[in-house]
Amino acid sequence: MTSTIDAAGEGGDGDRGEGTAGGDRHQRTARALLPLVGGAGNITSVEHCMTRLRLGLRDRAAVRDAELRALPGVLGVVEDDTYQVVLGPGPVAAVTAEVRRLVEAAQSAPASLSAPGPAPDSASRPDPGPDAGTDLTAAERGAEIRERLRRRNATPGRLLLRRIAAVFVPLIPALIACGIVAGVNGLLRNAGWLVGVQPALTAVSGAFFSVLAVFVGINAAREFGGTPVVGGAVAAVVVYPGVAEVSVGFLGADRSLAPGQGGVLGALGAAVLAAYLERWCQRWVPEAVSVLLTPTLAVLGAGLVTLYLLMFVAGEVAEAIGWVADWLMGTGGAVAGFVLAGFFLPLVMLGLHQALIPIHTTLIEQDGYTVLLPILAMAGAGQVGAAAAVYLRLPRNPGIRATIRSALPAGLLGIGEPLIYGVSLPLGRPFITACVGGAFGGGVVGLFNQLGTDVGSTAIGPSGWALFPLVTGDSGLGATVAVYGLGLVAGYVAGFVVTYFFGFSRQMLEEFDRDPSATPRPSADATSPTASSPPPPPAAPAGTSGSAGT
């Protein structure tokens, strides 16, 4: 299977890797993928997150799902507000750049070249009908579940959470890079090596975090319909050193502001407010002076509200988030870890996990790491253990076993979608037992947090084994890595044991522990004048197929 960590795919530059084996592979993936989603004319937007290519589609019916899932390099498909192709954290940037280049080239060509590809023949994708539910394959059940979840998640509150998440997701590569540099610098400092280089590494790793609020403002303005640079200008107020000279009357007392007070939450609120002010001005300000007044009023209005209100309110919220996280880990770490890891995947199914992204970012701003991410990463460990149990419990189902073999390496690296949507969720009970396994892993990590060995991550995005380079804490790197590894092992083992013994009923084993492509046993209605074999004799044992009605 294609490796999910591929250096040739990093950086998001579509030309990088040109002529190399990795670059050629990603170009082939992009070219093969495009006609399977209906062609360039069927695509309205091309974006990517940490692991997924996210496509806006005009006509969902033009997508050839089965062929797309079988494409080399594709780890899975997730349907939400966009059509999401899981490619892995390395290849996704390079494939996205190539798909974007192909779409732009096709859409600038004559219309005949960019028209949507033909929809698949309906005969090749038969409707199973209302009575064929028990004959669906696991993949088809997974597709049905994804579609139900997509419709259920399309509520105003969840759509707002997705928009907020879209503000932070593009920042993840820089967060990861700076987090790794900070980790390397910490190792050098502890070992006393390369003392002259350490200040340079501190500058490289810390500069991004010092202006993180500005990038949040730029992305927030873009996402909420404003001008990105205006959002960045307003968010810059939060980190401007001169705010320390501003004295603000708040709740009956004069208080001085501190640079960075409110952090990314204040920057997010400031940029969203600026976007709405800008749009209001565009409706009411005369066009002749709009180019002068609209950005001025947006920056001035949102900037003053930020200084006199948002920085205080967001600062209190950020401090509350940090206090709650410290209290949870210090007083009930084991229980909190068990609950958080156990319910994380159901939160993902409901689309509510996106509310955690600004919380992670706030904790990283305050403490240098988030203690929540390593705990939540245990949910993926439970999926891996459950998949191994399913593999052993269904020895006669080649389809599910092949899915597990191809998806398990990605699952170990923290890419859980192929296992979730291809294995555990369609089967039902193994998804629940996998969550239980992840809960045990989270409980182990939470317990050590409670005992004083904090385990955190300097960035968000990676999970599983891919999180090891970002793991940090206050008890030394060796102890922190050991605790995180112990949590993964606990999640693997618990997910396997609980799924093996409690993940299948007898009826489920009878239904799934067989080859779906094998010829089914004849039933009473299957006999016909053209049958090549005679009906079973009347003396057939009662209860066997074909005995009724003879």
Side-chain angles (χ1 to χ4, degrees), residues 473-499:
D474 58 0
S475 301
L477 183 62
T480 304
V481 169
V483 170
Y484 179 69
L486 184 62
L488 287 178
V489 172
Y492 297 153
V493 173
F496 177 88
V497 171
V498 177
T499 303

Side-chain angles (χ1 to χ4, degrees), residues 94-368:
V95 174
T96 299
E98 181 65 16
V99 169
R100 184 180 291 117
R101 186 188 68 79
L102 293 172
V103 169
E104 291 173 352
Q107 292 179 348
S108 63
S112 60
L113 298 180
S114 58
D121 185 359
S122 59
S124 64
R125 298 171 61 184
D127 184 355
D131 301 325
T134 56
D135 295 329
L136 293 175
T137 65
E140 290 168 331
R141 294 187 179 195
E144 285 192 354
I145 292 171
R146 283 196 297 273
E147 178 62 20
R148 288 200 300 267
L149 290 172
R150 185 191 66 80
R151 293 175 181 173
R152 186 186 306 164
N153 291 344
T155 63
R158 289 166 185 165
L159 291 175
L160 175 62
L161 290 179
R162 291 195 190 103
R163 297 183 76 177
I164 294 175
V167 172
F168 292 91
V169 166
L171 305 176
I172 289 178
L175 287 170
I176 293 173
C178 294
I180 292 177
V181 173
V184 171
N185 196 33
L187 289 175
L188 295 176
R189 188 181 299 112
N190 293 336
W193 297 342
L194 301 177
V195 176
V197 178
Q198 291 175 20
L201 294 179
T202 300
V204 170
S205 62
F208 174 73
F209 290 102
S210 68
V211 292
L212 178 60
V214 178
F215 288 98
V216 170
I218 291 172
N219 289 347
R222 180 184 295 112
E223 184 65 28
F224 285 86
T227 302
V229 71
V230 171
V234 175
V237 172
V238 175
V239 295
Y240 176 57
V243 300
E245 301 176 8
V246 179
S247 181
V248 180
F250 190 76
L251 297 180
D254 287 338
R255 303 187 183 185
S256 296
L257 296 173
Q261 185 173 339
V264 295
L265 299 181
L268 176 65
V272 172
L273 176 60
Y276 280 100
L277 283 175
E278 190 178 5
R279 288 158 57 187
W280 183 87
C281 290
Q282 288 169 349
R283 287 197 302 269
W284 295 102
V285 173
E287 291 184 2
V289 293
S290 179
V291 68
L292 298 175
L293 291 183
T294 295
T296 302
L297 294 175
V299 170
L300 180 61
L304 291 176
V305 172
T306 300
L307 285 170
Y308 287 94
L309 179 64
L310 288 179
M311 288 182 67
F312 278 115
V313 173
E316 294 299 317
V317 173
E319 288 185 10
I321 289 173
W323 182 86
V324 169
D326 291 340
W327 179 81
L328 277 177
M329 294 299 102
T331 59
V335 176
F338 189 93
V339 172
L340 287 172
F343 283 95
F344 180 62
L345 289 181
L347 286 178
V348 174
M349 300 297 103
L350 296 173
L352 300 178
H353 67 296
Q354 293 162 338
L356 296 171
I357 296 179
I359 294 176
H360 288 312
T361 310
T362 299
L363 292 175
I364 292 172
E365 267 194 323
Q366 290 180 340
D367 304 326

